[in-house]
Amino acid sequence: MTKETSAVNRKKLPLAGQIFIALVLAIIAGLLLQDHADFADSYIKPFGTIFLNLVKFIVGPIVLFSIMAGVISLSDIRKVGSIGGITIVYYLVTTAVATTLGLLMANLFKGSFPVLSTQDLTYELQQAQSGPLDVIVNIFPSNFLAPIIDANMLQVIVMALFIGFAIILIGDKAKGAVSTINTWNDIFMKVMDMILRLSPIGVFCLLSPVIAANGAAVIGSLAKVLLVAYICYFIHAIVTYSISVKALGGMSPVRFFKGMAPAMLFAFSSASSVGTLPMNIECTEKLGASKEVASFVLPLGATINMDGTAIYQGVCAVFIASCYGIDLSLSQIITIVLTATLASIGTAGVPGAGMVMLAMVLESVGLPVDGIALVAGVDRIFDMGRTTLNITGDASCAIIVSNLLKKTEARRAVKN
Ligand code: ASP
């Protein structure tokens, strides 16, 4: 083993282990602090917030510079197009599978769901009413700085693609810009590395207040609904991703999940796909995903690919319908598959966003939006699992696209 690789191994194993220990300690501390949730909220959570702020601060520059550097290094606009095409098809198909799984399982187990009272329920829609094409309109920035300031990843991606393509088209004249972009990419990656070293502390401070606030009593009546959602998250990860990573990515699922453990634990604690992005980039690259692919596929996934959210929306729609005594018809179920897939695409990668988008799913089949109040109390618990699944799906795509790209390049090399 060379000196360099042993250093990497020494660094890698402890971080995953540290995060795991932090997670266990956070659960213990959270349970002990159940009667002092205010203390946890006032004195522990702020440190988690500081950590999450640092992660959010670095995510915009990371996405901007890594996508630009990635596009430039691909040096072929068509190649970027084909990566984008495969990525979007994979994201759509896996999300549709996830929604169908959520709906199937929820229908199977709905007999054991509790029937909660729906009287006097109110849930205020937090979303401004928007036109059908607004999702597309909002992808395109109207300002150079706002996308970074608002951490609007889709707009940052569009900006980075435009600039990257322009650099390719200009050719030799852009040599200076290429080296500047690569240098800044390295600098931001280093900053990210420094921030990620703090993740065990971040995980502890983010998770223990959540456990303290959402103790066993709150989970109580919704335990079965949560259980069904978690079973679906689990099945989707173990079956869908294992098959796709093995068949299309050429990687053993065990290796994949082992390598992804730090990012999954982080997603579980932070409930934010965008916040987990830096860690996800690091894990997938260590697993062998190419830099260009990871830096394009993962930010895109953190914004539009939400399999866990789609499952959650399917399960909750069935649960809410059953509380209102409504039996969903086949056409309503098909409508839910479509809207939950779309709603998960429109969900931002931040805590709680999936619950806001649940309104769209309920409305599409005429269910009362107020029903969201039934699940709102434990949303964070749903969220931790769905975010973990969300980022794992993104990572599986990075592995697969990298592998397919490598194969195509190898085939081309043989031909030439
Ligand atoms: N918290 C989720 C995520 O960041 C989104 C959601 O609320 O479903 O992926």
Side-chain angles (χ1 to χ4, degrees):
M1 192 187 287
T2 64
K3 218 171 163 189
E4 202 183 323
T5 52
S6 73
V8 167
N9 285 341
R10 231 183 295 137
K11 202 183 96 194
K12 185 178 121 194
L13 283 172
L15 187 62
Q18 281 171 30
I19 294 180
F20 183 71
I21 292 168
L23 188 99
V24 174
L25 289 178
I27 294 173
I28 296 171
L31 290 174
L32 292 175
L33 285 170
Q34 271 189 40
D35 294 332
H36 308 281
D38 285 349
F39 173 83
D41 221 44
S42 310
Y43 295 101
I44 300 180
K45 194 173 161 194
F47 295 100
T49 309
I50 292 175
F51 174 69
L52 212 52
N53 284 349
L54 285 174
V55 172
K56 284 187 199 150
F57 135 78
I58 198 62
V59 85
I62 285 278
V63 172
L64 180 66
F65 280 87
S66 61
I67 291 190
M68 286 193 299
V71 169
I72 298 165
S73 72
L74 286 173
S75 68
D76 181 351
I77 295 180
R78 265 173 311 175
K79 214 159 149 192
V80 181
S82 69
I83 293 181
I86 301 172
T87 303
I88 288 175
V89 170
Y90 180 80
Y91 282 164
L92 282 177
V93 171
T94 49
T95 305
V97 171
T99 320
T100 312
L101 174 69
L103 283 169
L104 274 178
M105 292 290 284
N107 272 303
L108 206 66
F109 288 101
K110 78 175 173 202
S112 64
F113 284 170
V115 181
L116 303 182
S117 160
T118 52
Q119 262 177 359
D120 306 327
L121 280 183
T122 49
Y123 175 78
E124 284 201 17
L125 262 188
Q126 295 170 23
Q127 245 196 333
Q129 289 298 331
S130 55
L133 292 184
D134 278 3
V135 179
I136 297 174
V137 172
N138 290 335
I139 293 176
F140 298 93
S142 63
N143 178 307
F144 191 74
L145 296 177
I148 303 264
I149 292 171
D150 303 337
N152 184 327
M153 289 308 133
L154 283 184
Q155 295 190 353
V156 174
I157 291 171
V158 170
M159 248 167 68
L161 287 177
F162 268 114
I163 300 173
F165 288 156
I167 289 175
I168 294 176
L169 295 172
I170 286 178
D172 268 357
K173 260 198 277 173
K175 256 191 194 151
V178 171
S179 83
T180 310
I181 287 171
N182 284 330
T183 310
W184 277 102
N185 190 29
D186 291 345
I187 293 172
F188 286 124
M189 286 287 179
K190 193 71 210 164
V191 176
M192 174 184 95
D193 194 47
M194 284 152 56
I195 295 172
L196 289 187
R197 278 167 204 251
L198 300 172
S199 43
I201 300 174
V203 161
F204 178 84
C205 297
L206 284 169
L207 191 58
S208 50
V210 173
I211 308 269
N214 292 280
V218 184
I219 299 175
S221 62
L222 285 176
K224 285 197 178 133
V225 188
L226 281 164
L227 188 68
V228 170
Y230 270 82
I231 290 174
C232 295
Y233 298 155
F234 202 72
I235 294 178
H236 194 60
I238 299 297
V239 179
T240 315
Y241 299 153
S242 292
I243 292 177
S244 58
V245 159
K246 179 84 192 142
L248 301 168
M251 182 179 288
S252 108
V254 175
R255 179 160 169 240
F256 172 72
F257 286 111
K258 235 174 156 179
M260 284 302 297
M264 291 171 77
L265 292 172
F266 187 86
F268 186 76
S269 324
S270 68
S272 169
S273 295
V274 172
T276 312
L277 188 50
M279 176 83 82
N280 207 1
I281 294 178
E282 185 156 302
C283 286
T284 43
E285 282 181 5
K286 275 186 186 155
L287 276 172
S290 78
K291 232 185 169 82
E292 305 78 57
V293 171
S295 63
F296 176 70
V297 167
L298 296 178
L300 189 66
T303 333
I304 68 163
N305 183 46
M306 309 262 171
D307 294 358
T309 303
I311 287 177
Y312 150 84
Q313 286 168 342
V315 171
C316 286
V318 173
F319 167 63
I320 291 170
S322 78
C323 287
Y324 279 99
I326 299 169
D327 243 338
L328 295 170
S329 66
L330 185 63
S331 77
Q332 279 176 315
I333 290 183
I334 293 171
T335 310
I336 294 180
V337 172
L338 292 177
T339 43
T341 304
L342 289 177
S344 69
I345 292 174
T347 303
V350 295
M355 192 179 73
V356 176
M357 295 304 278
L358 179 59
M360 175 174 150
V361 178
L362 297 181
E363 275 179 336
S364 73
V365 286
L367 285 171
V369 171
D370 288 345
I372 295 180
L374 293 170
V375 288
V378 287
D379 184 62
R380 182 65 180 225
I381 316 279
F382 280 114
D383 202 358
M384 297 192 305
R386 65 187 191 240
T387 309
T388 309
L389 193 69
N390 290 346
I391 65 108
T392 311
D394 304 342
S396 69
C397 184
I399 300 292
I400 288 166
V401 175
S402 279
N403 184 47
L404 295 179
L405 203 69
K406 264 179 223 153
K407 275 192 182 155
T408 323
E409 270 161 13
R411 236 178 284 137
R412 248 187 232 145
V414 171
K415 259 190 210 160
N416 292 335

